[in-house]
Amino acid sequence: MRNRIYCLLLMLGGLFTGNRLFAQSNGTIEDTMRSNDKIYVVMAVCITILAGLLLYLVLIDRKIAKIEDKQ
Amino acid sequence: MRKSWWKILAAVLLIYTFTAGFLIKVPDIGNLKQSSRNLFFHVPMWFGQMILLAASMVYSILYLRKPDLRYDIHAAAFAKTGILMGVLGLLTGAIWATYTWGEPWSNDPKQIAVVIALLIYFAYLVLRNAMPDIDKRAKVSAVYNIFAYFIYIPLIMILPRMVESLHPGGKGVEGNPGLNGNDLDSTMAMVFVPAIIGWTLLGTWISTLNIRLYLIRDKNLINAK
């Protein structure tokens, strides 16, 4: 589990630094994010929120399962 | 975590909704412009609410047939998530209306009817908490819940369609910007239908978490039967 969290953090970190590196060299990610009046920024924000909510649900689910197993 | 295929399906469908919902081309309808993408987020709230409240009503009927406290717990949990989705639907609708109808609240028949419906369901929660006797609470709230559902459906499905409404589907809808059946083209349906299933499954997931929590909390009461 811990490994997976580290992986996720690394991926997220990669996304942000990647953007900064590509900012001056017309990278593809940067181009996509800025195209169409930056609507993809909204999309990324929404997906992040959704991912956070789903992760939270999974954690609550695991907590309840643990209590259930103890019963 | 209790692994279930439908929890994964819910996550997959919602991620699909949030991605395709922003990426696909939407038809130009009235003054909606790009905001017609709200179809994938605002409308499924109501579909999800209807399905969750229907599930709640079924459990209330089951309780009246066989007074098992577990049915009552199910009914209450589904109703709570249904109410949550209704409140979210109302709020998102108000945001959408601000930029398409010009104001968050236009006294549209559907807006008024849905607020009445939500108040009826708030009363369900108040009613539950007002009775300390567990068996009496379960029975009375089961009866109330069944009645509430059959008031709720005409309020949001039938009455708004019999009068003029800004919402699609009402009388005189031609003059109003809004989606009607013909405007839902096949690309939008390809996101809309998965969105409904995804949001409903998410609502079910949240409900089951509540159910499992209450089952643990009230296990002495259930076993005492």
Side-chain angles (χ1 to χ4, degrees):
Chain A
M1 188 62 205
R2 183 154 289 175
N3 275 338
R4 261 184 252 166
I5 292 171
Y6 283 143
C7 262
L8 196 74
L9 284 176
L10 273 176
M11 265 166 58
L12 282 176
L15 189 86
F16 293 125
T17 48
N19 275 357
R20 217 186 301 141
L21 285 175
F22 280 120
Q24 285 156 345
S25 56
N26 276 339
T28 45
I29 310 167
E30 185 77 351
D31 280 348
T32 318
M33 290 302 275
R34 284 185 192 277
S35 64
N36 287 322
D37 294 333
K38 297 185 187 173
I39 185 70
Y40 301 118
V41 179
V42 184
M43 188 182 96
V45 167
C46 287
I47 292 174
T48 311
I49 292 172
L50 177 72
L53 287 176
L54 288 175
L55 186 73
Y56 187 52
L57 275 186
V58 169
L59 290 178
I60 298 173
D61 203 319
R62 285 159 55 105
K63 241 178 245 171
I64 295 177
K66 220 176 266 175
I67 298 171
E68 278 172 342
D69 291 341
K70 250 186 236 162
Q71 300 279 321
Chain B
M1 184 181 158
R2 283 291 124 89
K3 289 223 171 66
S4 292
W5 59 271
W6 56 267
K7 287 174 188 172
I8 299 162
L9 183 69
V12 169
L13 287 178
L14 282 178
I15 291 166
Y16 169 74
T17 305
F18 274 68
T19 319
F22 282 99
L23 295 183
I24 62 158
K25 264 198 144 47
V26 289
D28 210 16
I29 305 155
N31 69 349
L32 289 181
K33 305 266 188 268
Q34 295 295 322
S35 85
S36 58
R37 293 178 198 278
N38 270 349
L39 180 77
F40 313 131
F41 304 100
H42 164 73
V43 185
M45 289 295 131
W46 298 110
F47 278 77
Q49 190 207 24
M50 269 189 283
I51 296 165
L52 291 175
L53 291 182
S56 171
M57 180 207 56
V58 168
Y59 277 110
S60 283
I61 293 174
L62 285 175
Y63 179 83
L64 291 182
R65 287 175 61 91
K66 182 174 173 289
D68 185 335
L69 203 60
R70 271 170 285 212
Y71 290 141
D72 180 55
I73 287 173
H74 278 72
F78 276 114
K80 275 178 193 168
T81 323
I83 292 167
L84 171 74
M85 288 188 105
V87 172
L88 289 176
L90 199 67
L91 289 175
T92 51
I95 297 169
W96 198 5
T98 308
Y99 300 101
T100 47
W101 302 342
E103 48 189 353
W105 196 263
S106 322
N107 281 336
D108 180 71
K110 216 166 207 169
Q111 286 179 322
I112 294 172
V114 97
V115 164
I116 297 170
L118 276 179
L119 286 174
I120 290 170
Y121 272 98
F122 285 148
Y124 169 73
L125 297 182
V126 174
L127 181 76
R128 289 185 64 81
N129 290 326
M131 274 180 285
D133 185 310
I134 294 147
D135 295 313
K136 194 187 273 178
R137 170 172 71 196
K139 187 169 259 174
V140 173
S141 58
V143 173
Y144 182 89
N145 194 21
I146 296 165
F147 271 108
Y149 190 75
F150 288 104
I151 302 166
Y152 160 77
I153 288 297
L155 269 175
I156 70 159
M157 298 291 284
I158 301 170
L159 290 178
R161 282 173 169 70
M162 294 171 73
V163 291
E164 286 190 9
S165 169
L166 291 161
H167 271 95
K171 259 190 195 171
V173 80
E174 299 83 32
N176 290 315
L179 296 157
N180 57 45
N182 304 329
D183 288 328
L184 183 70
D185 69 356
S186 53
T187 21
M188 284 188 100
M190 268 171 57
V191 182
F192 182 50
V193 176
I196 292 172
I197 301 169
W199 284 114
T200 308
L201 286 177
L202 187 79
T204 314
W205 189 358
I206 298 170
S207 308
T208 57
L209 289 178
N210 251 339
I211 291 165
R212 285 158 60 191
L213 196 67
Y214 295 149
L215 284 176
I216 295 169
R217 190 192 64 186
D218 296 341
K219 70 173 192 306
N220 294 330
L221 299 169
I222 295 163
N223 292 337
K225 280 268 167 185

